[in-house]
Amino acid sequence: MEISTEEYKIQSFDLDTQVLLKTALKDPSSVNLEKVSNIIVDQSLKDQVFSKEAGRICYTIVQAEAKQNNGNFRRNLLNRLQQEFKDREETRKRSVQEWVCYVTFICNIFDYLKVNNMPMVALVHPVYDCLMRLAQPDALMTEAEVDCLVLQLHRIGEQLEKMNSQRMDELFYLLRDGFLLQEGLTSMARLLLLEILEFRAGGWLLSSTAHKYYYSEI
């Protein structure tokens, strides 16, 4: 299936970078893949819309690369994700927006890049660590972080739980405590937390009545 590069949000780049990315999507071995992975990560940290799309771009490059028996792009991408992961507290202190973009991006990569149809084991704990951070009391006070947490759990919660259910239990203890005990949450944050608690309790599905209730409120 030919995916048009129009579908990817690469119009925001300068022309040289657009050409580089379009080439990487088709013939990865002909370009500098470390440069490509850095461009994708840098843009993802700046641009939340792009951070949601980037997994698909990475997936396409990895697929094209596999045909050429190469794994450079994936290796560079994981190295860069690891580096950003180490600096996550500094990133959060500097800019909640950038931190939320990082979490969105790493969850997106977890969702898209599979090995033998399974999520990459190397990403399970880093993704959990990021979500656990979003479930801490100080982060629950920030609507952007609650919003990010709930969106990611909608997207990858079920897959993550299959990889490690014990950590999902720990994460949901934090969310339940936050919902029940934490003072000063915004009504929106409270609603989002209640919704995700029900979502998991319902087997990662929301009943139609619950859906009506939450989405009419939002």
Side-chain angles (χ1 to χ4, degrees), residues 74-89:
R74 191 166 72 181
R75 195 165 53 249
N76 287 323
L77 181 68
L78 290 175
N79 285 344
R80 184 63 204 279
L81 277 172
Q82 192 176 16
Q83 198 182 324
E84 295 296 334
F85 178 74
K86 283 193 187 115
D87 299 337
R88 64 194 183 282
E89 271 307 319

Side-chain angles (χ1 to χ4, degrees), residues 8 22 27 70 168 185:
Y8 300 125
K22 284 175 184 172
D27 181 15
N70 197 340
M168 190 60 79
L185 291 182

Side-chain angles (χ1 to χ4, degrees), residues 146-218:
V146 178
D147 198 44
C148 174
L149 174 65
V150 169
L151 277 172
Q152 304 322 316
L153 283 168
H154 267 277
R155 181 168 190 163
I156 60 167
E158 191 172 6
Q159 298 178 60
L160 256 185
E161 182 160 43
K162 284 180 183 147
M163 301 297 284
N164 188 325
S165 59
Q166 188 188 344
R167 289 207 72 185
M168 190 60 79
D169 287 341
E170 288 164 18
L171 177 60
F172 271 76
Y173 293 144
L174 288 175
L175 296 181
R176 203 183 51 209
D177 285 354
F179 174 74
L180 293 172
L181 307 173
Q182 192 163 330
E183 288 173 13
L185 291 182
T186 67
S187 52
M188 185 63 178
R190 207 169 276 287
L191 188 73
L192 286 167
L193 287 175
L194 182 59
E195 190 263 356
I196 202 65
L197 291 166
E198 285 204 4
F199 185 64
R200 184 187 179 216
W204 301 104
L205 290 166
L206 208 53
S207 70
S208 55
T209 25
H211 193 277
K212 276 198 197 91
Y213 170 72
Y214 290 111
Y215 293 98
S216 67
E217 295 285 318
I218 292 169

Side-chain angles (χ1 to χ4, degrees), residues 37-184:
S37 58
N38 284 333
I39 287 167
I40 291 172
V41 176
D42 290 340
Q43 187 67 16
S44 295
L45 295 178
K46 285 200 296 259
D47 175 350
Q48 209 167 358
V49 175
F50 186 79
S51 69
K52 293 174 186 164
E53 293 290 324
R56 220 165 34 160
I57 299 178
C58 295
Y59 171 77
T60 306
I61 298 173
V62 166
Q63 294 296 96
E65 193 179 47
K67 289 184 187 133
Q68 301 174 335
N69 290 326
N70 197 340
N72 279 339
F73 174 74
R74 191 166 72 181
R75 195 165 53 249
N76 287 323
L77 181 68
L78 290 175
N79 285 344
R80 184 63 204 279
L81 277 172
Q82 192 176 16
Q83 198 182 324
E84 295 296 334
F85 178 74
K86 283 193 187 115
D87 299 337
R88 64 194 183 282
E89 271 307 319
E90 286 77 61
T91 303
R92 185 178 177 272
K93 280 193 194 89
R94 186 176 64 244
S95 158
V96 166
Q97 172 67 21
E98 199 176 310
W99 153 240
V100 160
C101 284
Y102 173 71
V103 179
T104 305
F105 181 61
I106 195 173
C107 291
N108 207 269
I109 296 298
F110 176 84
D111 193 21
Y112 273 102
L113 294 197
K114 301 280 194 274
V115 179
N116 304 326
N117 289 326
M118 290 293 286
M120 280 199 265
V121 175
L123 290 179
V124 174
H125 284 304
V127 167
Y128 265 122
D129 289 345
C130 288
L131 298 180
M132 291 280 194
R133 183 64 189 88
L134 290 173
Q136 298 304 317
D138 60 338
L140 293 178
M141 299 304 282
T142 314
E143 224 162 77
E145 290 184 273
V146 178
D147 198 44
C148 174
L149 174 65
V150 169
L151 277 172
Q152 304 322 316
L153 283 168
H154 267 277
R155 181 168 190 163
I156 60 167
E158 191 172 6
Q159 298 178 60
L160 256 185
E161 182 160 43
K162 284 180 183 147
M163 301 297 284
N164 188 325
S165 59
Q166 188 188 344
R167 289 207 72 185
M168 190 60 79
D169 287 341
E170 288 164 18
L171 177 60
F172 271 76
Y173 293 144
L174 288 175
L175 296 181
R176 203 183 51 209
D177 285 354
F179 174 74
L180 293 172
L181 307 173
Q182 192 163 330
E183 288 173 13

